[in-house]
Every structure is written in structure tokens, then in C-alpha cells.
Amino acid sequence: MKKNILLLCAALLCLSTSIAQNYKITGTVVDSLGVPLQMANVIAYQQDKNLGAFGITNQEGKYKLEGLKQDSTYTIKVSFLGLKQIEEKVEKLQGDLVKNFMMMAGADELDAINLTYQMPVSIKGDTIVYDADSFTNGTEDKLGDVLQKLPGVEVNDDGDITVEGQVVEKVQVEGKDFFEGDSRLATKNIPADAVSKVQVLKNYNNQSQLKGLGNDQDRYVINIKLKEGKKKFWFGEATVGAGYGGQAERYLIQPKAFYYSEDFSVNILTDFNNLGTPAFTGRDYFRFIGFNRRDTRQNNASINVNAASTFNAFATNRALSIDSKFLAGNASWKVSDKLDMSAFAILSSTDTRTKVLNSNTFIDSGLVEETDDRALERNQVGLFKLGANYNPNSDLSINYDGRFNISDQSQVTDFTSSRSGDIEDIDQLNSQKPISFNQSLNAYYTAGERHIFAFESQYLNQEEDPFYNAIRNIRDEQDPEPFNGALGLESADPYNINQERFVNTNKIDAKLDYFYVLNKTSNINFTLGSTVSQQNFSSDIFQITDTDERNELQDPSLRNDNVQYNFTDLFAAVHYKFITGKFTFTPGVTAHSFRTLDFQNDIENVIESQRLVPDLEVRYDIKSSQSLRLSYDQTVTFTDIDNYAEGIIFTNYNSLRSGNNQLEGSLNDRVSLRYNNFNMFNYTTIFGNITYTKQRDAIQSQTQLDGINQISAPINFGLPNESLNGSLSYGKEIRKIQFGVSASGSWSSRNNIINNVEQESININQTYGATARSNFQKGINFDLGYRLNFNDSDNGGFENNSTTNVYSAGIDWQLGKRWLLRGSYDLNDFSSDNGQENTFEFLDASIRYQKPSSRWQYSLIATNLLNAEVNVNNNFGQIATSTTQTFVLPRYVYFQMRFDL
């Protein structure tokens, strides 16, 4: 099978490079004084006005037009802002040519701008503009398909967008945030045929007063410009589908509508399907419940009080079935010249059935546990937001954001554990209904040319009520009391154990920044701020006896009765930014005064500490799109009341955990070196980074193991946790084919105490990959990939190594002007030292029909044609190593119709 795939890859590459004899035109562009012009646009059009090739001059004024066809006639156009356009014809190209151009003054600036925007790619200051039609061929469905074809732009399976190696912060449409700028919703929902231009905004800051004051060079935003026919008109699409798979009928309903004008915009998304494609994932949820990055420097101390989920409420397509219902609306409107408002509402319901088989080997004892986990998860979510931006004048900006989030999560699990000759059936229920109200109020004021103030605040009110139930029953024998009697349960068969918890959180973050601008290349930033968190926590464990009575466990060590936990961080910081030549330096230091107070069991406990925390960033801008950045920062991380409450928490069928009110914050040192190089002249990208982190006083677990049962408590561990991560990637486009190679590696060392013995866990991971992706205007396009992964772990002397080979191939084949054939194939070959082996193959295919200029599109789609059943991988933990078999969606075949509104 592997040989066949490699032969297919070689055949496709040979086919793509042998279609026709291609030539290139190179040369330089200078002004009337002979000075090389950087960022001049050079484009070659064929006689039929189709794009032949385009280029942008580098610092030496050099350009390159590649992939030009033999015997073809081209019109060469050269343009540069403020200079007269040059146009020259090349008749029946017979070989490589060298053509130099001298540009003269003459064209006015407006004409030059219009010419620039006709270019496939134009660069002006911090903005890159891509003309979408220059890179697409009409087979694209959504925005993600368009972005994937742009030079220097990548989109992963999760919808994350990177440009020049930097993650895009948000996506806008016509200057307005698309669902808070969420890249996944944008790439998966915005129709491809609505996109005219893609603007990449570098060095981005939401507040114009702050632009250039901080280190925003790596902040990227994408703004989508719509085609003229899509403005001030409703547009969208309605998609329906029906089919069969997994012994059940399958359906898809997806109406989507969009409206954009200068003063008002609306986005409406709906998605109802049982095809295994969740419209709203857990990753989306956690991105929406928080706030996007602030526009000033972040506090380098933190406490995590986010609502915790006790189970994987949002599964991916690695499930037996996924039934998804999704409805969302997003609107923004310009109330007046001074006031803008925005809002969104998201409703989502996802039902997921999963089946997972595990083989767990406990490191301390060598005990092997085989588990069969069959679960039904339901997650219902409602997210709502109302925001306003008030700008009474150019010197003052006030922003308000209010978000209300509510969810209903439940998971019912039919679980079987087999070990040492015993088989235990365990029925489990997890449920919770967390509610949160999160508000922010920010103000930015320019008091003068040199004096700028920024106030940012956020208030969170949150309630959580996790409930857990486990019914443990060992087959064919009287059940022994779980955890060797640590809970003091009444004798029963089976044992029905329950845990109720309630957490209330109030948290305020506020800080004031003052920027004193010394000159155009330097400023000083003074910061005063505080974080105040107040939490109340209650929990109890109870048993349902064989007579269905409720047995409340009254031992004080098993309860948390109105535990109170307050955290306060008062901090002051100073940062100095200055630019000298191509270097930018930003050293800084922050002074923190921390105070934690907990009140439990009628005892008040106070811990106070102070920290002086440094940070430094040095940036070397080698060229406009080539940079080297060195950064060092030290952060302090505190945990929340969940780890401070001393009463026992029943976290899993085989796990008890207690808190520790003597915990202090862990100190984290991080050093990072990053290199970016994006060359528009020869379409080459090189990205590399290496990061070292060291965590001192890390909050780790002290665990007592007895068979599969474990009782743990957090401690500040004396030995540090360390990690080293690095990656390097290289990409180059040759004759409409984008080639890429990459390598990444990581090393980590973690420490725990298990059965009173210090244990170090070391993990080494290496990944190597190669890709080739074509972007021809007609015929066959392909997407090929190979990835090799080595994972080696040593947990307290228990070693486990695995190797994974992943092969992938995709094809888009245009058959005339009406038909499109698509296929994708993935082969995952896994093996490990413990004898586990698995080959996982996944094949999807579709055929699409659409008449030119027709609004109707018809598709026949099949997923998992080979009917693969299970995917295998290894997990390396500090307590146990696991080989996991995850059952996947069965074969689905369905017919789909789409109508473009």
C-alpha cells in the first residue's frame, strides 16, 4: 500500500511538471535616477486577458515571472505608486528572457492605486492585498479554500489561519468582526464566490492611539472585501442533503444569509446535521466564553477560574455518531458617527456517541487494566453578547462588552474495567449547568502628543454545579468497598457513590497604562493594576444504599462546607521601548504583591508574597518580511479554589483528590527565539522557532496508588518541570506547485510523587513532514503529504516508544465546465514497542455538478468509503501509559443540493 501511494505521488508530480515547456522572464525595475524600486508590481497577461504570471520586486528591484508557456504572447505591465505605468508586449515566447524597466514620473496617485488593486498581490505599508480571483479556479466552496491558495497563507483543519508563520488574531468582513473574528466560523461558512480581496493587516491594534507603542508586529488580522454584487444586498446559500449510513438515515440542512452595508451588517448561520460534522466544537466554545486579546500588554501573573468541564463534551469525528444543531446570528450597526454597536447570539446542541477501548499499564505496579468505555454526551450551549464602541472625538474611545453564557452538559457512560481476573461494570453520570456573565469596560485617551492613557477592566460572575455519579459492580462476587474504605461507605452491592459541588466566582481585573512618548522611536509605559478574585465552594459525597436511601457522609474530611478563597494581586510595571536601526528593544519589570486567604473548617489561612518579575523582547527586522525575535518572560501562575479546598473530591470512579491550602504560585521562565522569512520575490517561506520553559514550584500531584485506585493532593514540587520545543519549516512555490518540508521536536521533563517516591517522566517527540500542493487553473489539482512521528517516553524507568507514519493524498479534477471530482485518502500506520499495531485508512470522495452561471449545485458525497472502524494511538502519562482504540464514524453516502441566494 505504501509503495502504491509513493508511486501515485511520483506520477502526479511528473504529470504536473511535464504538461508543457515553461520559460521565465526576469529583470530589474528602477526609477529615472536608476534607483531600484522595491514592491513594484510586474504582471504578464495572455492575449485572452488571462493571468500568465506576476511578481513583486525585491530590495534590489529584481523581479521574476515564471511558468510562461512556449509560443504564447504576453503583455507585460509594470506599476508603482506615483509613477507612470509601463506596458510592453512579448511576441511568441521562445525561451527565457531578461527585460529591465525604468519608470518615470507621470501618473497621479489615484491611478496608481487603482492599478495596484488589479494586481494579484500588492503590498503597501503594513497591508498585503490579495486579489482572490487571481488565485482561484471556481472549485472553491468556502473562504478557507480561497485562503489556502494564497501565497504565505495556511489554514489547518481547525480553521486556524497563519500568515507568514503568524497566527491570525481575527477575521473581519468589510472592516467588521465576523462573529468576534472567529477564524473557524469564517473559514467554514463565508462563501468563496463572495470574496473579492483578502487584506492582511500586520502590526494590528484595535485602538489607533496605541498603534506603534507596544510590540504588535506579530499581530495579524484578515479583512475580507466583498464583490460589488454582494454589498447592500442579501446573499448566502441554502444547502440540504439526505442519505444513509451507520444503519440510519442521514440529513443535512444549512441555510446561511449575509448582509453588508456601510452602516449595518448581519450574519445568520444555521446547521442541522447527523453526518458527524459538529458545527460548533468545544474549541469554539472556549474561544467565545472568554475575551479576545487586550490592546495593551498582558499581566504576567494569572489565576485560572474558568469553568471546568469534567468530560469531553465536544467530540470530533472520532465518534460513532454526532448529531449537531446550530443557530447563530451576528450583527453590527453604526448608530451614529460616534457610536457603533455589535451583538451575537449562538445556540448549539450536540449529541455524541463514543466507544473507546483502553489498555492501561500502571507504571508503579505494572498492573494492566483493560477498559471498554461507551458514552453518550449531550451539550447544549447558549452564548450571547452585546457590545458598544463610543468615540466622541479622535482623542477618546470607550468600549463596553457584555457576555452571558449558559450551558447544560451531561454524559452517561457504560464503562467496563478488567484487571487481575476481575471484571467490574461501572455506570457513570457527569452533568453540570454552568452560567457566567462576563463584562469589560475599556477607555483610551490621548491627552496630548506625548501623553496617552489606557484603562482596561473586566468583571466575571460565574456559577458551576458539577455532579458526578458512579455505580461500581464487580461481577460474580460481593463488591469490596472502593478505595479500601477511605470513604466509610455502608456495605453494598453495587456501590452507588455521588458527588455534588457548587462554585461561585467573582473576579475583577483592572489596570491603567500611561504611555509617555519620548520621540518617534521610543516611549515609556507605566502600569498600575490589580486582580481580585473571590470564590465560594461547597461539596459533599453521598451514597445511595441497596435500600435506595441517601447516606450522607459526615466525615469532615469528605466535605467542603462553604469554603472561601480570596486572591489578590496588586502590581506595578514599567517598560521602555526604543528602536535603533533595525533593532527594537523592550525591557520591562513588574512588581507584584500577592495575597491568598482561605477560610475553611473555621480556620483562616493567609499567605502573602512579593515577586519582581522581569521581561525582555529584542526584535531584529532584517527586511520588511524577514525578522528575528528573541523574547524572555517570567510569569507567576496561581490555581483556584478547586485545589485549595481540603475536603475530598470524588473525581472519577477510581480517583479521589483533596486540596492543599498551603499552595503558592508557580514561577515560570520562558525563553523563545523565532525567525520569519516570507519572500514574495521567489515565493519562499522559512519559519523557525525554539522555546525553553522552566517551571519552578510547579503545582504537581502527590499520589497514592492502590491497584487502579488513586488518592492525590496538589503540592508545590521542589524539582522544576522543564521543556524544550522547536520547529522549522520551508516552503517554495514552483510552477503553480507549493512544496513544503517541516521538522519539529520537543523534550519535556515532569516530576510527581507516587507512593512517596519521586518520579520523573521524560517525553521526547519528533515529527518530520513533506507536502506538495498544486494550484492549476484547469484539469487536475493535487494535495500530497507525508508525516513521520516518533514518540519516546520514560516514566520512572518504564519506557514506551511508538512510531506513526501518515500518508495523505487529495485530488480535485475539473471535468469540463460542469463536473468536479474530489477525493481524499489518509493512511495512518501506528506501531509501538508493546506490540500494538494499527493501520487506519480513510477515503472520502464526491462528485459535483453545476452549470456555468447557475445558482444550483448538486453533489454526491461519500465518507469513510473503506468503512474503517478504529483508530489507535498511545498516551503517555505520569501514572499510567495507555494504548487507545477510538471507534470512528461509519461509511456515509448522501446526496446534497445547494442554492446560492
Side-chain angles (χ1 to χ4, degrees), residues 742-809:
S742 63
S744 63
S746 66
W747 169 87
S748 65
S749 171
R750 297 286 183 268
N751 296 280
N752 269 332
I753 298 178
I754 298 178
N755 288 346
N756 301 316
V757 177
E758 293 184 359
Q759 178 175 294
E760 181 184 18
S761 297
I762 297 176
N763 186 262
I764 300 174
N765 190 285
Q766 305 171 65
T767 302
Y768 306 92
T771 60
R773 183 175 67 242
S774 68
N775 188 19
F776 303 122
Q777 287 295 314
K778 298 178 181 179
I780 299 177
N781 277 296
F782 59 85
D783 190 347
L784 306 174
Y786 171 69
R787 187 173 75 251
L788 173 63
N789 175 262
F790 300 103
N791 196 310
D792 304 324
S793 71
D794 182 346
N795 294 324
F798 186 89
E799 296 185 4
N800 201 329
N801 306 315
S802 67
T803 302
T804 305
N805 289 274
V806 180
Y807 306 84
S808 62

Side-chain angles (χ1 to χ4, degrees), residues 19 46 48 50 69 136-137 139 774-781 812-817:
I19 292 175
Q46 294 176 291
D48 58 4
N50 285 330
K69 297 179 181 178
T136 56
N137 57 15
T139 63
S774 68
N775 188 19
F776 303 122
Q777 287 295 314
K778 298 178 181 179
I780 299 177
N781 277 296
D812 279 18
W813 189 355
Q814 298 180 69
L815 304 172
K817 296 183 178 181

